[in-house]
Amino acid sequence: MAVIAHDPSRPTQTHAEVTRDVLKTITDAPTRGYYVLVFGMAFLVLVLLGTVVAELKEGIGLAGYAPPIMWSVYITTFVFWVGIGHAGTLISAILFLFRSPWRTAVYRATEAMTVFAVMTAALFPILHIGREWLFYWLLPYPNQRYLWPNFKSPLMWDVFAISTYLTVSSTFLMVGLVPDLAAVRDNVSGWKKKLYTALSLGWTGADSQWRHYTRAYLYLAALATPLVLSVHSVVSWDFASSIVPGWHGTIFAPYFVAGAIYSGIGMVLTLMIPLRKVLKVEHMITDYHFDNLSKLTLLTGSILFYAYGMEYFVAWYSGSTFEQTTFWRRAFGPNWWAGWTMIICNAFVSQLLWFRKIRTNLTSLFVISIFINLGMWFERYVIVVSSLANDYLPYAWGQLNPTWADWCLLAGSFGWFGLWFTMFYKNFPIVAIQEIKEMIPMPRRKSAEGAH
Amino acid sequence: MTMRPDDQQMTEAAPDGVGRRQFLKVLGVTGAGAATLSGCSTDRIAKLVPYMVQSEQQVPGVPTTYASTCAECSTGCGLHVTTREARAIKLEGNPAHPVNAGSLCSRGQAGLQALYHPDRIGAPMARNAAGGFDEITWDDAIARLAAQLGTANGRVAAINGYGPSTFSTLLDDMVGALGGRSVRWEAFGREAERTANFRTWGRYELPSHDFAAADYLVSFGADFLETWGATVQQQRGFAEAHGYGNGTMAKHVYVGPRMNLTAANADEWLDVPAGTEIWVALCLARAAAMHHGSPLAAQLAAYTPEAAAERTGIPAERLAHVAEEFAAASAPLAVAGGIAAQHRGAIDLCRATNLANIAAGSIGTTVRFGDGPAAGNDYGTVQELFQSMDRGEVAVILVHEANPLYALPKSGNFAATFAKVGFKVSTANVMDETAAACDLILPNLHALERWDDRAPRPGVLGLMQPVMEPVKPGMHTGDVLLAAARAVGGPLAGFTAQSFEAHLRSAWTAEASRRGAGDAEGFWRDALQRGGVYEPAAPAPAPALSAGAADLAPGDTSFDGDGEFLFLPYPTSQYHDGRGSNKPWLLENPDPVTKITWQSWVELHPETAKRVDVREGEIVEVTSPHGTVRAQVYVYPGIRPDTVGMPLGLGHTAYGRYAADRGVNALDLLGAADGQGFLPYVATRVSLTKTRDYRQVAKTEGTPRQLGRGIIEAMPLAHAAAGMTPKESMTAAGHPPHEVNTERELEAIDGWYEAQKERWNLGNYGADETPKWGMAVDLSRCTGCSACVTACYAENNIATVGEEQVFKGREMSWMRIERYWEGGEDGEPLEARFAPVMCQHCDNAPCEPVCPVYASYHTPDGLNGQVYNRCVGTRYCSNNCPFKVRYYNWLKYNESAWPEPLNLQLNPEVTVRARGVMEKCTFCVQRIRAAQHTARLEDRPLRDGDVVTACQQACPSKAIAFGNVKDPSAEVVRWKRDPRGYTMLEATNVMPAVTYLAKVRAVDPVAHGEAPAAGEAH
Amino acid sequence: MLKRSLLGLVGMVAVAAALATGISSSDAQQPSTGPAPLSAADSAGLKGPRQPIFFRHDIHAGELQMQCQYCHYSVAVSSEPGIPSMQTCMGCHALVAGRDPANQAEIQKLKDAWAAGTPVEWVRIHNVARHVHFPHMRHIKALGDNACATCHGNVARMPQVYQVNNVNNMGFCINCHLERNVTRDCSACHF
């Protein structure tokens, strides 16, 4: 044991145990709590649908838009969800390429989170436009009008960024699942068996299959890696390439990427901490993993800290009265509360993670993760709303009061995301069986004896 | 042919066919152009309805213009009514008309919404036993009227607000023949001035003021840009005189407790307490008399600047300076008598002003008798009439074009008195307060539907002709009266005309012979074509001073009550006496000074607000000895701290869906008693009580300060005369502008701009003969009157969105007048700056690259195009627009804004935008295209002046130039070359096509020197 | 979308066809055989919607060679082509009674309508979307008085008028404007 204890990344149990424990999460009958969760989420999805129908009928104006604030809660939420995705890709792809052992236990969950987060985000660009039924005009398709979309528009880049991200990360997830699904297939019966048989693509575990599989996985990882940087950079250019004071900053791309990963890990923590308990996989997802996640959080959080500082510096240094006013009002204007929420939750709270005690105390971590999610939503709110609220022409300045339509769609997005995720972790191996197994040290007599 | 009467939807299908039926009804006998209703898809079949007989005047798809006369106020401006397929779609000024010379104020243009008002009464109505109204037939209605008139034996009366005209004469004659009395009365009757003129010259009449000729203007509470006199004409004159040109301009000084639009356009504002204006007037008179050695000097000797300073709190040296300037001016003009000075000292004030004009030798030059506006009876006469009603001496009363039960203070119990009349008849075609109290309602035709005329002043005889079939089956009151006369017989047997039209014709034949026009027929045809007969009236000689004209004994003006504040109700340029407040255009077009829409408000000076401890939007209770009203506070730096202001015109209890129960009526705080023949509006003191209630102020303005962003530039006269640019002026004034673009950047920009120009010349982006449209706005002429805004609403089918949406800042005004405050703090005098802001059609437009579908793009002729049907509504363009001139259809405004039959006013040349679509100023592209079509058909190139935008057309001060900037001879190019020219937000390098010419202020050193400033001189 | 682009294609083909036939017809100085005698009853079988009166463009414009602008009077001066007033119809049909019973029956309908003072409500066939501003006069000016066929097909050969080209198909407009290299500026039609 002592030997093993030295490397916390190595699981403590045998192959059989791993398979058993993970399969239990799927084969066990769902608890009442689980049903409550699912129906809760389903209800929120209905709220979402209701709001969308209402807005299709009456117009997007049901939300609290107040010119000049033409983008508000919806775009905020869009950026928030895109951001969430990034941690997943970082952990599953980049850390894989870096051969960082600790990712193994958590990457499947984060990978799933990524896909669902992007699926959620993808709703908003469609829902926030005024004539939702014409969203396909943003796609380049040949038509008798000889009309093409404007490839100069950042919104077009967005369309491509998001769709690419969705394709790649979902493929990555499904491919990664194949061996595990095979394992599940061999342990279930009835319609489930059919389902997993289909999804595991006739996996037998033959050497040739393993060879191809590992290659494919490697390439997909390599493919996904740049997306971690590109996607949110593009999203950031939605803002950075405009002339709105508080938007057009060269710092935006790295600033957004860091923020994205920061918020993503926040969400990972929020999800994993309760999940490992519910699924009884504490022995696989251990303090050690959270400790590492926290360090990543600390890193990105500190980058954000710097970015915030730099934004204000640049605003001052630019000598542009427009920039200066915008940032002054961010801190002391009518939206000061949002501004400070973002700075405190992101810049300051993350600094608590310097302390090992806090990093390893799951309760405190969970609380912090909530703050992170809150803070990152508000970061986007501040960037979108309080920049638009006061730009060039003082006569046109405005104030935003979000309405029920804003909040319902926000809540609905969480329901939509949550529904997918809850259904996923109950029906798919939330921990990567075969990768864990790979990490199990060859059984040694000594330790085996010790076990007796 | 595509006639789009109910063009409610852009890309979606039309709602229903009601529009068409309505439309056919409207066109009635004239015969309908075919109406199509189908939307995009051709599978929904619409009908083509041919004319039975094709009228010669009408070419389908080509607008027909009729000359007529405006009936929205007593000024009687000339109209050009644009009709398409026989329905009026726009009102513009008649260029041939001496009063408005082609432009038209907001209220005049909004007459269209009275024509198509959704609450117009469709049939005569009689009060039933239950107290409600029943619709009856016209025959029945006329029979009832006749019966009452027949049996009234002399106890008949009429209140007629229509003013001098063939109709009014007919009415007077009839009532006279019945032995009754007919009172001509309109609110704001300028009685005080007339009385004063009587005492000064022995002439109970109004002179005309030549603002254009004046080089020094002083106004004592006369809001000549809003409601006092012929505002359009005066504004034109004011712009002529006060607008900067070849190194000079007139100076304008306003004396009064509140900065209204007129004061906001003054170079100096003397904010004296209400009732003390006379001291300033006399001070001016004295200075002028001494300067010109007038005999008056002796009598006026006592009125020194010191004396005035003591009464007004304005420092003596400042008064002395103004007085000297006034005296030294070559063509000075002093005017007095607006509502702002309508206090118990008003008559003396006007007399003092007369003296000032006399002393300065203005009589016969800037003040002329002989062609002044004709006026009706005074308020005293109306009071007498009501007293006789009270005594039961009136059995039948006819109220025409007047709404006394609203326009007279409640404290006078006029309603109760009115109720004592046995049989009350109203001719209102919208249910107003008076009509609601009547027994019989005979809805009159709208001025655009009837034959009529009016003689607002000597030398102007305006004619009206029906330009379309009645929207609602009304009946001309003239015809009603004549029909009744035939039925009554007896005393009325003399009125034999078969119809009012016939009567009018005979009256005009008489007029023709009076004018010695041999061919009466030709005289009439001419008048029809030109909208009337206009010949300058013979100027009367300067009247002799009557004895004792100069002996004035100004004392303290008395005010009712002992409240803490002086109460100042004032009419706004939109609502006038309240008749404007049932028209969405006027309700949504913000008050020029406060920028508030759809609401009443209580104006408090910031200091006062702090002292009373109320914030903007907090509802306060204003109490006078005569009543109490509750309204939200608007904190306004342009009013004296000891004064509380409230706009007039709202607080209707009836008068249609838009006016009823909107805001409060400030008249409720006034007393009605008065011995001077006029209603003293500024005669009460009020106290304020806090309530804990709150209501957002529906104003369209975000922040009233420019924050040094140089959006509306202004420069002192000296600098302008020296040919400085705004930047040079600022530098000279010691504030060098912050230079954003380095040399390098500037080079880069120029390089880019050249490249851009080349791009235009590629392929379809055709060549040099393609025009490039541009605009220039002269801020030294613009007064902020907002007529252009209404014109834009009318021309471009802009939806009115209502109070709730304005709260969210969702108003759609493509063109808005921005008003910024300068100074007003720590000793600086308060200065207002106005600028119309519309899409700047930037060459380097930030909105264009960000649109993912090319809905926003640059046209070959340099417009910033907006393709509504391509727009999907991402709204990025608006985010990226530094001027925030893009407006978004958040909800189905296209369905809510034009309830039937209001939709008939829509301009078929402009697509009505559906929800979810971005819209904005297009430089009236439909007018550009129309002009290009005409030019092409006539095989000639476009000429400068072929394209006139709606705003440019309406502007009374001619502050807008538009044209092809590639044409060196174009007026717009000349304007753009002016050194005062600058573009807004230059730092953004968007290269606007709109150039603003900096405002010029005739400021004098004293006002800017050590002397305590207007803001705090008390 | 595919559907739309197909429509576009059909549109182009149709123009070509229309033009071709148009030329051939104008070549033939007088049509050797007049239009087939048809009665209102047959109109059901013909292309295009049935009209309240079975008005024969093939007789008026084809056999009788009447100029389009005789009835569509404002096409050269206005964006609207103009629909002939009842008076215009009666101008001739007060005298012209029709050559066979079928025609006479239809013309009688017209006379009745005129007597009753009720306009005939024709069924609209070409109907441009309301967000498009199509200036007829500019096209007549540019293409000449007989340019009608370019969009409306050879009406002179149509016993009952039907839509040859989908005039709401922007591709149809663009194609012509490309061929003739005239403006493709959106704001030429959309404002």
Side-chain angles (χ1 to χ4, degrees), chain B residues 344-523:
Chain B
R344 295 210 172 83
I347 294 176
D348 282 354
L349 170 62
C350 296
R351 292 177 61 195
T353 313
N354 290 343
L355 293 179
N357 281 326
I358 294 165
S362 307
I363 310 301
T365 60
T366 51
V367 181
R368 273 202 312 275
F369 279 90
D371 59 351
N377 306 75
D378 60 25
Y379 173 65
T381 325
V382 179
Q383 281 181 309
E384 285 163 34
L385 176 60
F386 272 89
Q387 281 151 13
S388 58
M389 291 188 206
D390 203 26
R391 293 192 296 274
E393 297 164 9
V394 178
V396 180
I397 185 158
L398 176 79
V399 184
H400 179 71
E401 300 266 330
N403 187 5
L405 296 198
Y406 169 82
L408 298 176
K410 291 205 179 28
S411 57
N413 281 323
F414 294 101
T417 315
F418 192 72
K420 293 185 178 176
V421 177
F423 190 68
K424 306 175 282 298
V425 186
S426 165
T427 64
N429 58 19
V430 174
M431 182 67 78
D432 62 23
E433 285 80 355
T434 311
C438 285
D439 307 296
L440 183 64
I441 302 175
L442 310 164
N444 190 7
L445 293 175
H446 184 273
L448 296 174
E449 300 165 336
R450 67 176 190 237
W451 287 105
D452 219 331
D453 66 358
R454 64 190 311 175
R457 65 172 60 176
V460 177
L461 188 50
L463 187 56
M464 301 174 198
Q465 55 179 319
V467 303
M468 61 188 284
E469 286 294 310
V471 177
K472 291 279 172 78
M475 188 166 171
H476 194 313
T477 304
D479 290 324
V480 175
L481 292 177
L482 288 166
R486 283 195 294 278
V488 174
L492 299 183
F495 300 91
T496 52
Q498 278 314 298
S499 72
F500 183 76
E501 183 182 354
H503 178 75
L504 190 70
R505 288 300 297 273
S506 51
W508 274 70
T509 316
E511 179 68 27
S513 54
R514 194 175 313 117
R515 294 176 183 247
D519 166 17
E521 189 49 43
F523 180 77

Side-chain angles (χ1 to χ4, degrees), chain A residues 394-395, chain B residues 258-266 269 591-595 603-604 606 616 634-639 699 701-709 711-712 818-825 828-835 999:
Chain A
Y395 181 93
Chain B
R258 175 181 182 264
M259 181 184 272
N260 53 20
L261 186 61
T262 307
N265 281 283
W269 170 40
D591 170 60
V593 182
T594 60
K595 296 296 161 190
E603 262 169 31
L604 297 183
E616 177 177 296
Y634 173 68
V635 179
Y636 179 55
I639 189 164
K699 56 176 186 177
E701 141 189 287
T703 300
R705 295 277 172 178
Q706 294 195 55
L707 311 171
R709 296 182 174 191
I711 295 156
I712 307 183
E818 296 198 355
R819 191 267 297 110
Y820 289 109
W821 298 121
E822 294 289 313
E825 285 158 352
E828 282 280 304
L830 183 67
E831 175 200 342
R833 293 186 189 174
F834 297 91
K999 180 182 178 181

Side-chain angles (χ1 to χ4, degrees), chain A residues 55-68 70-71 128-131 133-134 137-138 145 147-150 152-156 237-239 241-244 247 319 321-322 325 388 391-397, chain B residues 10-11 595 700-703 705 707 709 711 738 808-810 816-820 846 848-854 868-876 878-884 888 890-892 915-918 985 988:
Chain A
E55 290 191 329
L56 278 169
K57 197 170 161 299
E58 290 307 319
I60 193 84
L62 294 179
Y65 293 100
M70 310 299 262
W71 288 355
H128 103 286
I129 64 173
R131 302 202 284 170
W133 55 95
L134 294 180
W137 281 2
L138 275 72
R145 297 193 210 84
L147 289 178
W148 289 93
N150 176 4
K152 269 187 281 177
S153 168
L155 297 182
M156 285 306 301
W237 294 331
D238 281 352
F239 305 100
S241 57
S242 83
I243 68 168
V244 178
W247 277 13
T321 152
F322 308 115
T325 316
L388 289 174
D391 71 347
Y392 292 95
L393 231 53
Y395 181 93
W397 287 3
Chain B
M10 186 186 56
T11 49
K595 296 296 161 190
T700 60
E701 141 189 287
T703 300
R705 295 277 172 178
L707 311 171
R709 296 182 174 191
I711 295 156
H738 174 68
K808 293 192 165 81
R810 293 178 179 177
R816 59 169 187 256
I817 304 287
E818 296 198 355
R819 191 267 297 110
Y820 289 109
E848 285 163 10
V850 298
C851 177
V853 293
Y854 284 120
Y868 306 127
N869 44 305
R870 177 66 172 170
C871 175
V872 297
T874 67
R875 309 187 292 285
Y876 199 165
S878 174
N879 290 343
N880 217 25
C881 172
F883 304 97
K884 293 288 173 279
Y888 189 69
W890 294 104
L891 299 168
K892 296 179 174 175
R915 60 91 180 249
V917 167
M918 191 64 73
L985 300 177
T988 55

Side-chain angles (χ1 to χ4, degrees), chain B residues 2 37-38 54 60 857 911, chain C residues 73 78 80 127 130 185 187 191:
Chain B
T2 46
L37 294 172
S38 84
Q54 168 70 40
Y857 78 108
T911 313
Chain C
Y73 50 94
S78 163
E80 312 296 350
N127 189 356
R130 59 190 54 211
D185 174 18
S187 75
F191 48 81

Side-chain angles (χ1 to χ4, degrees), chain C residues 6 12 50-51 86-87 96 99 135-136 182:
Chain C
L6 278 179
M12 303 173 210
R50 295 185 72 174
Q51 298 287 0
M86 300 292 281
Q87 195 183 29
V96 180
R99 101 187 109 217
H136 271 93
V182 286

